[in-house]
Amino acid sequence: MSAQTDIGIAMRGGGYYSTHTLGAKAVIESVENWVRDALRHCATLDSGTLSMADFGAADGGTSMALMRRSVEFLRGLIGDRPITLTYTDLPDNDYSALFHLALEGEDALASRPGVFVFAAATSFHQSIFPPESLSFGFSATAMHWLSRLPGNIPGHTHSVGASGATLEAFRDQARRDWESILLHRARELRSGGRLVLVNFCQDEAGHYLGNTGGVNMHDQFNRHWRALLDADVISWDEYERTNFQQSYRTVAELRAPLEPGGKAFKAGLRLEACEARTVRCPYAAEYQCTGDAHKFASEYLGTLRSWSERVFLSGLSAERPLEERRAIVDRLYREYEQDVERSPQGHAMDYVHCYMVLNKQ
Amino acid sequence: MSAQTDIGIAMRGGGYYSTHTLGAKAVIESVENWVRDALRHCATLDSGTLSMADFGAADGGTSMALMRRSVEFLRGLIGDRPITLTYTDLPDNDYSALFHLALEGEDALASRPGVFVFAAATSFHQSIFPPESLSFGFSATAMHWLSRLPGNIPGHTHSVGASGATLEAFRDQARRDWESILLHRARELRSGGRLVLVNFCQDEAGHYLGNTGGVNMHDQFNRHWRALLDADVISWDEYERTNFQQSYRTVAELRAPLEPGGKAFKAGLRLEACEARTVRCPYAAEYQCTGDAHKFASEYLGTLRSWSERVFLSGLSAERPLEERRAIVDRLYREYEQDVERSPQGHAMDYVHCYMVLNKQ
């Protein structure tokens, strides 16, 4: 999922995202108890349709099993009342992959009686649903994408490597976006409705995605991209224009609008639970058991590529033929992969998330 | 829009459909007064969200201008009440093209305040919305696609060329599908809600799409496809397996379930207006003025191709590489086009539709 609307190159389609993100699925399933608690409340709201949303869902693959079980769980609570589930992402998302997954096959979500599946392509930085129409909202690993790029990041490709005014600009954008995301959700949510939000964060130890004490993943991205600049494969302009339009907020930053006096608090949102947790990189964990560096490097770069490829592709000049751009990005991942295979120790895309449950008064 | 779910080759994406179907747009805009009358009723239903649907909308291009004007018209009636518009089609539809069209640009449908756009990929042969949740439903040039193929059509590619038991099987399937489509819509519609349905039909003169007194378009499709069989380009099996999963119902067949005692009537649907009308092929009309046979043949085959290509592609053996299948289908349209250019007189894809307004008691 990405909030960058100005780029014609979407996240990899055809189910590539969900099949290469076992870790993201594990993150989502770790919050299932909280989802059930939230749904228990939503089930009591009224007697009509129970409307659910998955914000920034990509192809829906990482949350599909949770959603299937959630719908079955709800059936036990609300009888045959209709359930709608709307997947949201951006226009270039692969909606066909999403719909095939949700609609087809005996075990499909929409094969359950009384379950109606929809998609929306309106960004979660805007209002997606009519006021007070949503019973339950879910989002995982999506809202770190900012609504705009605050500027290029000198000497790095991600804001975790920014400093000074650049870092401030990213923090400020992240703060305003987060406030706005919550205000839009507050408007959409019914009174008594619940949100379960799982967002990348920086925890108290300063850890964040791919930086939990070992090799820093984002420094590696930057180092390999920089090497392509030094080798004259990409231009200075292209290096500079390659920036992840993201911010990993601290837990305090995520809580701020929800504290008494904060804008989201004033809009009626209340924080019921909030916890930073780390889910280990499944590929690094497997490597610790098997010692198979070749397999690890291949799978590790597969999972990195599933969400980062688009950023590097879109940093390259549009004057290059698409094939050339793809070849350059192939080289980036190949060199990173070779590096991991040579010295695998310490590489790990551990997921550092802040898990939150919110209700609307 | 197609009801064939077993084929991996979708209607041409990237906006090809709507840019090559000026006639379909003209058909839709010809019913605008009826749409406004229907919306006037829907606006009085209650004070909440006014929910609209466009069933079998493909990329949304042919109805987008009507929908924009309808939303503006509604604003004058319902103030700032939210409006939802859900586009439905099948999973392989190009939803990205649809969302770009509906969401982006200053004049976009979703740039209007309080307008929320969604998509669904559930077939209109099933229930798409929760019971009694829809205020207004629209569909144009979609519901002639059947839910299943009743069988191969000996000696022809379309049921208009069928006879005997084959013709009966298609009629029977069309009858059951139409009844079922109406019953699903009856369930989804709120009491007092309206449907405006524009369906291909056979009129009292026996005219139907591409057969209004001149050259019969479907006979031409069959003749050129058959020529590829005779030239050993395609196999007998492939010729036999190429069938439009469609039926052009008569006006009487379309009215039948809505007559007193009919199943849709019993479900609460009432026919307010029903009329068969023909919209002239815009390309043939232009040719009558310009006499430019080359331009006519090219544009005419472009509009035919936009909705028929998938049928021929999917008739070909999956064992052929996709490129080979594409080349064969290219040849079909090229030969048809050359034929039209040589003797353009009489070729015309005139649109013969039955226009209906229904309300739910």
Side-chain angles (χ1 to χ4, degrees), chain B residues 109-145:
Chain B
L109 187 65
S111 71
R112 271 85 176 156
V115 177
F116 303 89
V117 172
F118 302 95
T122 308
S123 160
F124 50 63
H125 294 290
Q126 299 166 41
S127 276
I128 304 172
F129 300 94
E132 292 171 51
S133 64
L134 197 64
S135 314
F136 174 75
F138 178 83
S139 181
T141 319
M143 292 169 174
H144 57 295
W145 290 98

Short mmCIF file of all heavy atoms in Angstrom, two decimals, chain B residues 109-145:
data_model
loop_
_atom_site.label_atom_id
_atom_site.label_comp_id
_atom_site.label_asym_id
_atom_site.label_seq_id
_atom_site.Cartn_x
_atom_site.Cartn_y
_atom_site.Cartn_z
N LEU B 109 -15.87 12.53 -10.51
CA LEU B 109 -17.07 12.22 -9.74
C LEU B 109 -16.82 12.34 -8.24
O LEU B 109 -17.58 12.97 -7.50
CB LEU B 109 -17.48 10.78 -10.09
CG LEU B 109 -18.78 10.24 -9.57
CD1 LEU B 109 -19.94 11.01 -10.17
CD2 LEU B 109 -18.90 8.76 -9.91
N ALA B 110 -15.73 11.72 -7.77
CA ALA B 110 -15.47 11.67 -6.33
C ALA B 110 -14.86 12.97 -5.81
O ALA B 110 -14.63 13.10 -4.61
CB ALA B 110 -14.55 10.50 -6.00
N SER B 111 -14.61 13.93 -6.70
CA SER B 111 -14.11 15.22 -6.20
C SER B 111 -15.29 16.06 -5.72
O SER B 111 -15.11 17.08 -5.06
CB SER B 111 -13.34 15.96 -7.30
OG SER B 111 -14.25 16.42 -8.29
N ARG B 112 -16.52 15.65 -6.06
CA ARG B 112 -17.71 16.31 -5.51
C ARG B 112 -17.80 16.02 -4.02
O ARG B 112 -17.63 14.86 -3.62
CB ARG B 112 -18.97 15.77 -6.18
CG ARG B 112 -19.39 16.51 -7.43
CD ARG B 112 -18.69 16.01 -8.65
NE ARG B 112 -19.20 16.70 -9.84
CZ ARG B 112 -18.51 16.83 -10.96
NH1 ARG B 112 -17.28 16.36 -11.05
NH2 ARG B 112 -19.03 17.45 -11.99
N PRO B 113 -18.10 17.02 -3.20
CA PRO B 113 -18.18 16.76 -1.76
C PRO B 113 -19.29 15.77 -1.42
O PRO B 113 -20.37 15.80 -2.01
CB PRO B 113 -18.48 18.14 -1.15
CG PRO B 113 -18.78 19.05 -2.28
CD PRO B 113 -18.34 18.42 -3.54
N GLY B 114 -18.98 14.87 -0.51
CA GLY B 114 -20.00 13.94 -0.03
C GLY B 114 -20.32 12.81 -0.99
O GLY B 114 -21.34 12.14 -0.83
N VAL B 115 -19.46 12.59 -1.99
CA VAL B 115 -19.66 11.48 -2.92
C VAL B 115 -18.60 10.42 -2.65
O VAL B 115 -17.41 10.71 -2.65
CB VAL B 115 -19.59 11.94 -4.39
CG1 VAL B 115 -19.73 10.75 -5.34
CG2 VAL B 115 -20.67 12.99 -4.67
N PHE B 116 -19.02 9.19 -2.43
CA PHE B 116 -18.12 8.10 -2.06
C PHE B 116 -18.23 6.98 -3.10
O PHE B 116 -19.33 6.46 -3.34
CB PHE B 116 -18.47 7.58 -0.66
CG PHE B 116 -18.43 8.66 0.39
CD1 PHE B 116 -19.56 9.42 0.66
CD2 PHE B 116 -17.25 8.94 1.07
CE1 PHE B 116 -19.52 10.43 1.62
CE2 PHE B 116 -17.21 9.95 2.03
CZ PHE B 116 -18.34 10.70 2.30
N VAL B 117 -17.11 6.64 -3.70
CA VAL B 117 -17.12 5.68 -4.81
C VAL B 117 -16.54 4.34 -4.37
O VAL B 117 -15.48 4.29 -3.72
CB VAL B 117 -16.33 6.23 -6.01
CG1 VAL B 117 -16.17 5.17 -7.10
CG2 VAL B 117 -17.02 7.47 -6.57
N PHE B 118 -17.23 3.27 -4.72
CA PHE B 118 -16.78 1.91 -4.40
C PHE B 118 -16.88 1.02 -5.64
O PHE B 118 -17.50 1.39 -6.63
CB PHE B 118 -17.65 1.32 -3.28
CG PHE B 118 -17.64 2.13 -2.03
CD1 PHE B 118 -18.63 3.08 -1.79
CD2 PHE B 118 -16.62 1.98 -1.10
CE1 PHE B 118 -18.60 3.86 -0.63
CE2 PHE B 118 -16.60 2.76 0.05
CZ PHE B 118 -17.58 3.69 0.29
N ALA B 119 -16.27 -0.15 -5.52
CA ALA B 119 -16.41 -1.16 -6.56
C ALA B 119 -16.78 -2.48 -5.93
O ALA B 119 -16.42 -2.76 -4.78
CB ALA B 119 -15.11 -1.30 -7.34
N ALA B 120 -17.51 -3.29 -6.68
CA ALA B 120 -17.79 -4.67 -6.27
C ALA B 120 -17.51 -5.56 -7.47
O ALA B 120 -17.68 -5.14 -8.61
CB ALA B 120 -19.23 -4.81 -5.81
N ALA B 121 -17.06 -6.77 -7.21
CA ALA B 121 -16.75 -7.70 -8.30
C ALA B 121 -17.63 -8.94 -8.23
O ALA B 121 -17.32 -9.96 -8.83
CB ALA B 121 -15.27 -8.07 -8.28
N THR B 122 -18.71 -8.82 -7.51
CA THR B 122 -19.69 -9.91 -7.44
C THR B 122 -20.59 -9.80 -8.67
O THR B 122 -21.04 -8.71 -9.01
CB THR B 122 -20.52 -9.78 -6.15
OG1 THR B 122 -19.62 -9.67 -5.05
CG2 THR B 122 -21.43 -10.97 -5.97
N SER B 123 -20.84 -10.90 -9.33
CA SER B 123 -21.66 -10.91 -10.54
C SER B 123 -23.08 -10.45 -10.23
O SER B 123 -23.62 -10.73 -9.16
CB SER B 123 -21.69 -12.32 -11.10
OG SER B 123 -22.79 -12.49 -11.97
N PHE B 124 -23.71 -9.76 -11.22
CA PHE B 124 -25.11 -9.35 -11.00
C PHE B 124 -26.06 -10.53 -11.06
O PHE B 124 -27.26 -10.38 -10.85
CB PHE B 124 -25.53 -8.23 -11.96
CG PHE B 124 -25.25 -8.50 -13.42
CD1 PHE B 124 -25.84 -9.56 -14.09
CD2 PHE B 124 -24.37 -7.68 -14.12
CE1 PHE B 124 -25.59 -9.80 -15.42
CE2 PHE B 124 -24.09 -7.92 -15.46
CZ PHE B 124 -24.71 -8.98 -16.11
N HIS B 125 -25.53 -11.71 -11.32
CA HIS B 125 -26.35 -12.92 -11.20
C HIS B 125 -26.47 -13.36 -9.73
O HIS B 125 -27.14 -14.35 -9.43
CB HIS B 125 -25.77 -14.06 -12.03
CG HIS B 125 -25.82 -13.79 -13.51
ND1 HIS B 125 -26.99 -13.77 -14.21
CD2 HIS B 125 -24.85 -13.50 -14.41
CE1 HIS B 125 -26.75 -13.50 -15.49
NE2 HIS B 125 -25.45 -13.33 -15.63
N GLN B 126 -25.76 -12.66 -8.85
CA GLN B 126 -25.85 -12.94 -7.42
C GLN B 126 -26.23 -11.66 -6.68
O GLN B 126 -26.32 -10.59 -7.28
CB GLN B 126 -24.49 -13.42 -6.90
CG GLN B 126 -24.01 -14.70 -7.55
CD GLN B 126 -22.54 -14.95 -7.28
OE1 GLN B 126 -22.07 -14.74 -6.18
NE2 GLN B 126 -21.81 -15.39 -8.29
N SER B 127 -26.42 -11.77 -5.36
CA SER B 127 -26.66 -10.57 -4.55
C SER B 127 -25.35 -9.85 -4.31
O SER B 127 -24.36 -10.46 -3.91
CB SER B 127 -27.30 -10.95 -3.21
OG SER B 127 -28.70 -11.08 -3.35
N ILE B 128 -25.34 -8.57 -4.56
CA ILE B 128 -24.12 -7.76 -4.43
C ILE B 128 -24.19 -6.89 -3.19
O ILE B 128 -23.17 -6.60 -2.57
CB ILE B 128 -23.93 -6.89 -5.70
CG1 ILE B 128 -23.91 -7.78 -6.95
CG2 ILE B 128 -22.67 -6.04 -5.59
CD1 ILE B 128 -23.92 -7.03 -8.26
N PHE B 129 -25.40 -6.46 -2.83
CA PHE B 129 -25.60 -5.55 -1.70
C PHE B 129 -26.48 -6.19 -0.63
O PHE B 129 -27.28 -7.07 -0.94
CB PHE B 129 -26.27 -4.26 -2.19
CG PHE B 129 -25.48 -3.52 -3.23
CD1 PHE B 129 -25.71 -3.72 -4.59
CD2 PHE B 129 -24.48 -2.64 -2.85
CE1 PHE B 129 -24.97 -3.05 -5.55
CE2 PHE B 129 -23.74 -1.96 -3.80
CZ PHE B 129 -23.97 -2.16 -5.15
N PRO B 130 -26.35 -5.74 0.60
CA PRO B 130 -27.25 -6.22 1.66
C PRO B 130 -28.70 -5.90 1.31
O PRO B 130 -28.97 -4.97 0.55
CB PRO B 130 -26.80 -5.43 2.89
CG PRO B 130 -25.39 -5.04 2.62
CD PRO B 130 -25.33 -4.81 1.14
N PRO B 131 -29.62 -6.66 1.88
CA PRO B 131 -31.04 -6.41 1.60
C PRO B 131 -31.44 -4.98 1.93
O PRO B 131 -30.99 -4.40 2.92
CB PRO B 131 -31.74 -7.40 2.55
CG PRO B 131 -30.75 -8.48 2.79
CD PRO B 131 -29.41 -7.81 2.77
N GLU B 132 -32.27 -4.43 1.09
CA GLU B 132 -32.86 -3.09 1.30
C GLU B 132 -31.84 -2.01 1.59
O GLU B 132 -32.05 -1.15 2.44
CB GLU B 132 -33.90 -3.16 2.42
CG GLU B 132 -35.09 -3.99 1.97
CD GLU B 132 -36.07 -4.29 3.09
OE1 GLU B 132 -36.45 -3.34 3.77
OE2 GLU B 132 -36.42 -5.48 3.27
N SER B 133 -30.72 -2.06 0.89
CA SER B 133 -29.68 -1.05 1.13
C SER B 133 -29.49 -0.11 -0.06
O SER B 133 -28.79 0.89 0.05
CB SER B 133 -28.35 -1.74 1.45
OG SER B 133 -27.90 -2.48 0.34
N LEU B 134 -30.13 -0.40 -1.18
CA LEU B 134 -29.86 0.36 -2.40
C LEU B 134 -31.02 1.29 -2.71
O LEU B 134 -32.19 0.89 -2.72
CB LEU B 134 -29.66 -0.63 -3.55
CG LEU B 134 -28.98 -0.10 -4.81
CD1 LEU B 134 -27.55 0.34 -4.52
CD2 LEU B 134 -29.01 -1.17 -5.90
N SER B 135 -30.70 2.57 -2.99
CA SER B 135 -31.74 3.53 -3.36
C SER B 135 -32.02 3.49 -4.85
O SER B 135 -33.17 3.58 -5.29
CB SER B 135 -31.31 4.96 -2.99
OG SER B 135 -30.77 5.03 -1.69
N PHE B 136 -30.94 3.39 -5.64
CA PHE B 136 -31.07 3.52 -7.10
C PHE B 136 -30.09 2.60 -7.79
O PHE B 136 -28.89 2.60 -7.48
CB PHE B 136 -30.80 4.98 -7.51
CG PHE B 136 -30.76 5.18 -9.00
CD1 PHE B 136 -31.94 5.20 -9.73
CD2 PHE B 136 -29.55 5.35 -9.67
CE1 PHE B 136 -31.91 5.38 -11.11
CE2 PHE B 136 -29.52 5.53 -11.04
CZ PHE B 136 -30.71 5.55 -11.76
N GLY B 137 -30.59 1.82 -8.73
CA GLY B 137 -29.72 0.95 -9.51
C GLY B 137 -29.81 1.27 -10.99
O GLY B 137 -30.90 1.54 -11.51
N PHE B 138 -28.66 1.25 -11.63
CA PHE B 138 -28.60 1.53 -13.06
C PHE B 138 -27.80 0.42 -13.72
O PHE B 138 -26.86 -0.12 -13.14
CB PHE B 138 -27.90 2.89 -13.28
CG PHE B 138 -27.72 3.25 -14.74
CD1 PHE B 138 -28.77 3.84 -15.43
CD2 PHE B 138 -26.53 3.02 -15.40
CE1 PHE B 138 -28.62 4.18 -16.77
CE2 PHE B 138 -26.38 3.35 -16.74
CZ PHE B 138 -27.42 3.94 -17.42
N SER B 139 -28.20 0.07 -14.93
CA SER B 139 -27.37 -0.88 -15.69
C SER B 139 -27.62 -0.67 -17.16
O SER B 139 -28.76 -0.49 -17.59
CB SER B 139 -27.71 -2.32 -15.30
OG SER B 139 -26.87 -3.22 -16.04
N ALA B 140 -26.56 -0.65 -17.93
CA ALA B 140 -26.71 -0.49 -19.38
C ALA B 140 -25.86 -1.51 -20.11
O ALA B 140 -24.66 -1.66 -19.83
CB ALA B 140 -26.32 0.93 -19.80
N THR B 141 -26.48 -2.23 -21.02
CA THR B 141 -25.75 -3.06 -21.98
C THR B 141 -24.86 -4.06 -21.26
O THR B 141 -23.68 -4.19 -21.56
CB THR B 141 -24.90 -2.14 -22.92
OG1 THR B 141 -25.67 -0.99 -23.27
CG2 THR B 141 -24.51 -2.87 -24.18
N ALA B 142 -25.45 -4.75 -20.31
CA ALA B 142 -24.66 -5.70 -19.53
C ALA B 142 -25.37 -7.03 -19.30
O ALA B 142 -24.74 -8.08 -19.33
CB ALA B 142 -24.30 -5.07 -18.18
N MET B 143 -26.67 -6.99 -19.10
CA MET B 143 -27.36 -8.16 -18.57
C MET B 143 -27.75 -9.19 -19.64
O MET B 143 -28.44 -10.16 -19.34
CB MET B 143 -28.57 -7.72 -17.73
CG MET B 143 -28.10 -7.01 -16.46
SD MET B 143 -29.43 -6.17 -15.57
CE MET B 143 -28.55 -5.64 -14.09
N HIS B 144 -27.26 -8.98 -20.87
CA HIS B 144 -27.41 -10.02 -21.90
C HIS B 144 -26.34 -11.11 -21.72
O HIS B 144 -26.41 -12.14 -22.36
CB HIS B 144 -27.31 -9.39 -23.29
CG HIS B 144 -26.03 -8.63 -23.52
ND1 HIS B 144 -25.70 -7.50 -22.82
CD2 HIS B 144 -24.99 -8.86 -24.35
CE1 HIS B 144 -24.53 -7.04 -23.21
NE2 HIS B 144 -24.07 -7.86 -24.14
N TRP B 145 -25.36 -10.86 -20.87
CA TRP B 145 -24.37 -11.89 -20.57
C TRP B 145 -25.01 -12.90 -19.61
O TRP B 145 -25.51 -12.54 -18.56
CB TRP B 145 -23.13 -11.29 -19.92
CG TRP B 145 -22.30 -10.46 -20.86
CD1 TRP B 145 -22.34 -9.10 -20.98
CD2 TRP B 145 -21.32 -10.92 -21.81
NE1 TRP B 145 -21.45 -8.69 -21.94
CE2 TRP B 145 -20.81 -9.78 -22.47
CE3 TRP B 145 -20.83 -12.19 -22.17
CZ2 TRP B 145 -19.83 -9.87 -23.46
CZ3 TRP B 145 -19.85 -12.27 -23.16
CH2 TRP B 145 -19.36 -11.12 -23.79
#
